[in-house]
Amino acid sequence: MLIGKACRFGGRVRSCVVQPLACLFTASSNMAKSKFEYVRNFETDDTCLRNCYIVVRLDGRNFHKFAEQHKFIKPSDNRALGLMTRSARSVMEELEDVCIAYGQSDEFSFVFKRTSTWFKRRASKLMTHVASQFSSSYVFYWKEFFGEQPLLYPPGFDGRVVLYPSNRNLRDYLSWRQADCHINNLYNTVFWTLVQKGGLTTAQAEVRLKGTLAADKNEILFSEFDINYNTESALHRKGTTLIWEKVAFNCTTNIPH
């Protein structure tokens, strides 16, 4: 079917015939068999090696600025941590092959089972699905944790995929992330205690802590502020771990005689 319309050429209006869009391009079902199919050869094979744990780790993009503009409580905001955990739970509910997730601060790691075949084990598919599900959940559940405080702009999260072939490698990875949680939280706890209770400026607190070891930071908290770091919340010191829980239930079926 052809459609006529008026066209303007050189200041005069003339009648012309224009083909509809459907006639200019082949149907989508035929595109895969078209001469343009060669462009698929530019795609790289990013299939994850079999029999390995697939770990997708997300990190908040420029979250220092995000935390400041949304007035997060220092050194740790339980609302923000709760929102991160709720978003991670949403990912696990969507992708049941995630057997464990670990999070701290503005990051979360998702561990897929070694036998997982989700998205044919394509790294790009796994990473983008986790990132999009997590980001949209963060926005969706914002009010549940921050109430009427407005979300000023959409948060961003970047992701990476790493493979771990053995149980020990995976255990060491999770231990590494938890050690990072401890180091960062201890520093932030001392830093903001010096500012909020010690009356130092942020610049002065940074100078005071430069070159200090963990023992030095613990001593500052205990001797100057009567704070025993080991009694601080485990959520802040050790992070959050999500796992699936097996639930036993009885299923009764009425079978006719």
Side-chain angles (χ1 to χ4, degrees):
M1 175 179 169
L2 301 180
I3 301 176
K5 62 181 273 189
C7 301
R8 184 176 297 277
F9 297 97
R12 294 183 300 164
V13 176
R14 304 171 60 182
S15 177
C16 67
V17 177
V18 179
Q19 286 183 308
L21 192 62
C23 297
L24 298 176
F25 299 95
T26 56
S28 59
S29 60
N30 296 326
M31 282 295 287
K33 302 299 182 181
S34 74
K35 65 180 181 180
F36 307 112
E37 184 182 9
Y38 80 94
V39 297
R40 296 182 61 184
N41 296 328
F42 287 86
E43 297 182 16
T44 57
D45 181 13
D46 62 348
T47 303
C48 294
L49 189 66
R50 293 185 180 276
N51 202 34
C52 290
Y53 292 105
I54 303 173
V55 176
V56 178
R57 185 167 86 244
L58 301 184
D59 291 281
R61 180 181 177 276
N62 201 8
F63 249 57
H64 288 294
K65 176 182 176 182
F66 185 86
E68 289 178 3
Q69 294 196 349
H70 289 86
K71 297 179 171 56
F72 282 11
I73 299 170
K74 302 294 186 181
S76 298
D77 193 320
N78 288 336
R79 300 171 303 170
L81 294 175
L83 179 55
M84 290 285 292
T85 301
R86 183 63 187 88
S87 302
R89 173 184 161 188
S90 176
V91 172
M92 292 187 70
E93 291 170 343
E94 180 72 15
L95 298 173
E96 296 179 4
D97 271 9
V98 176
C99 55
I100 186 171
Y102 173 78
Q104 51 111 352
S105 186
D106 64 341
E107 76 167 53
F108 241 101
S109 297
F110 299 89
V111 181
F112 286 80
K113 295 186 295 186
R114 300 171 79 166
T115 57
S116 177
T117 57
W118 278 86
F119 305 113
K120 298 181 180 180
R121 294 180 70 87
R122 291 188 59 184
S124 56
K125 289 280 190 178
L126 292 167
M127 181 179 65
T128 52
H129 193 97
V130 169
S132 61
Q133 183 70 28
F134 189 94
S135 300
S136 59
S137 297
Y138 195 96
V139 174
F140 185 81
Y141 292 110
W142 174 268
K143 282 192 173 182
E144 185 176 316
F145 293 88
F146 285 86
E148 296 305 312
Q149 180 177 332
L151 180 62
L152 302 178
Y153 58 89
F157 295 89
D158 63 73
R160 71 201 69 189
V161 175
V162 186
L163 303 182
Y164 294 101
S166 70
N167 291 340
R168 179 176 180 178
N169 292 151
L170 178 62
R171 183 194 65 189
D172 289 346
Y173 168 78
L174 295 172
S175 297
W176 171 51
R177 299 321 302 150
Q178 190 171 67
D180 184 75
C181 173
H182 164 70
I183 293 170
N184 291 335
N185 187 71
L186 177 58
Y187 181 91
N188 290 333
T189 299
V190 182
F191 180 90
W192 287 106
T193 299
L194 288 170
V195 172
Q196 295 169 352
K197 296 183 179 181
L200 300 185
T201 65
T202 54
Q204 290 171 333
E206 186 175 353
V207 171
R208 174 76 188 279
L209 294 178
K210 185 177 181 179
T212 58
L213 303 176
D216 302 320
K217 296 180 179 69
N218 276 288
E219 181 62 25
I220 291 173
L221 287 175
F222 188 75
S223 62
E224 298 183 27
F225 302 99
D226 196 28
I227 296 175
N228 184 348
Y229 180 74
N230 292 326
T231 63
E232 293 293 293
S233 170
L235 171 65
H236 302 155
R237 292 184 294 111
K238 298 183 178 182
T240 300
T241 303
L242 300 180
I243 59 174
W244 287 102
E245 180 182 3
K246 291 184 178 181
V247 179
F249 65 94
N250 295 323
C251 180
T252 58
T253 304
N254 294 326
I255 302 177
H257 294 285

